[in-house]
Amino acid sequence: GEDVEQSLFLSVREGDSSVINCTYTDSSSTYLYWYKQEPGAGLQLLTYIFSNMDMKQDQRLTVLLNKKDKHLSLRIADTQTGDSAIYFCARGGATNKLIFGTGTLLAVQP
Amino acid sequence: GAVVSQHPSWVICKSGTSVKIECRSLDFQATTMFWYRQFPKQSLMLMATSNEGSKATYEQGVEKDKFLINHASLTLSTLTVTSAHPEDSSFYICSAREGGGGADEQYFGPGTRLTVT
């Protein structure tokens, strides 16, 4: 399987919370990241977490890291239509490379 | 701060021609730049890593003679797709890393959509 995997699609209603999940196989990364990509655009770094942390909160975003299960999640509180995009998790690899997940398309219904 | 631009935003070229894509860090010096390609509805695949003043390091399966990378200065890297074929049509995204310690934050350009006819 892929090194970093995500579910392909998530649909939520505006105002609800969204939880996007990511699993990985290589646990050697120091940092794990969440990026947002809007249609036809590059990637925007949303947040990152150091590998020795369990949780990081940044305004509406909460990142949870379970190192034992190699599971990373991104929770978006009070999801808005402007949050509709593709979300990629990524782990830092050797020589500063980023290894991206397969991406999750978040669709927010008004 | 930390803005990365790409030029052109989109390009259409004929098979057999070469296309050059520029990646610039506008307000910081990028010790390392990365080139990715992204097929529709797929993830980003790293093509190569370039450090200013040295040869690029290509990922396995990427033809270095076909995808020429030049990192001539701390603010500019170029990717030239030589003898382009329709299968080279893709979305090419660069990123730049400022360097230093801490999180390996990369700043991404807006991407260049290449269509080869």
Side-chain angles (χ1 to χ4, degrees):
Chain A
E2 297 287 340
D3 183 351
V4 185
E5 292 194 349
Q6 300 175 236
S7 52
L8 287 179
F9 182 74
L10 175 66
S11 178
V12 300
R13 289 185 180 274
E14 193 173 18
D16 289 349
S17 292
S18 308
V19 179
I20 302 171
N21 295 300
C22 173
T23 59
Y24 55 94
T25 55
D26 188 328
S27 58
S28 64
S29 300
T30 303
Y31 293 95
L32 296 117
Y33 306 83
W34 282 103
Y35 284 87
K36 176 184 181 183
Q37 185 180 34
E38 298 187 11
L43 272 70
Q44 172 194 356
L45 176 66
L46 291 177
T47 187
Y48 63 88
I49 188 168
F50 190 51
S51 60
N52 70 352
M53 297 171 63
D54 298 324
M55 186 183 85
K56 180 180 179 181
Q57 186 158 1
D58 184 0
Q59 299 182 337
R60 292 193 297 125
L61 305 178
T62 303
V63 179
L64 295 178
L65 174 60
N66 183 326
K67 286 195 72 174
K68 175 176 172 290
D69 294 339
K70 298 180 184 175
H71 182 267
L72 181 73
S73 68
L74 174 69
R75 178 178 181 271
I76 305 173
D78 187 25
T79 312
Q80 303 297 308
T81 54
D83 295 325
S84 294
I86 299 176
Y87 290 80
F88 292 96
C89 64
R91 67 173 187 85
T95 63
N96 304 312
K97 293 193 293 189
L98 286 176
I99 294 101
F100 284 89
T102 45
T104 299
L105 174 62
L106 173 64
V108 182
Q109 311 299 326
Chain B
V3 177
V4 176
S5 69
Q6 282 184 241
H7 178 78
S9 301
W10 56 270
V11 57
I12 302 173
C13 71
K14 293 188 175 182
S15 288
T17 60
S18 295
V19 174
K20 180 185 283 189
I21 302 170
E22 291 185 350
C23 177
R24 292 182 186 273
S25 57
L26 299 185
D27 50 3
F28 67 99
Q29 293 188 325
T31 55
T32 306
M33 287 185 170
F34 303 86
W35 286 96
Y36 298 84
R37 88 188 272 187
Q38 184 182 30
F39 291 106
K41 299 182 181 179
Q42 292 189 27
S43 188
L44 281 74
M45 299 301 295
L46 180 66
M47 298 174 67
T49 303
S50 76
N51 292 293
E52 185 263 341
S54 61
K55 289 185 178 180
T57 302
Y58 289 81
E59 294 299 301
Q60 192 173 9
V62 178
E63 298 175 60
K64 62 180 180 181
D65 294 331
K66 180 168 184 60
F67 298 100
L68 300 178
I69 291 172
N70 186 313
H71 194 155
S73 75
L74 284 171
T75 58
L76 173 64
S77 176
T78 60
L79 167 68
T80 302
V81 183
T82 62
S83 187
H85 290 152
E87 56 264 34
D88 298 325
S89 299
S90 188
F91 193 51
Y92 292 87
I93 304 175
C94 73
S95 71
R97 181 174 180 269
E98 191 167 8
D104 300 325
E105 187 164 345
Q106 294 182 24
Y107 303 98
F108 284 80
T112 297
R113 185 162 302 284
L114 170 64
T115 302
V116 184
T117 60

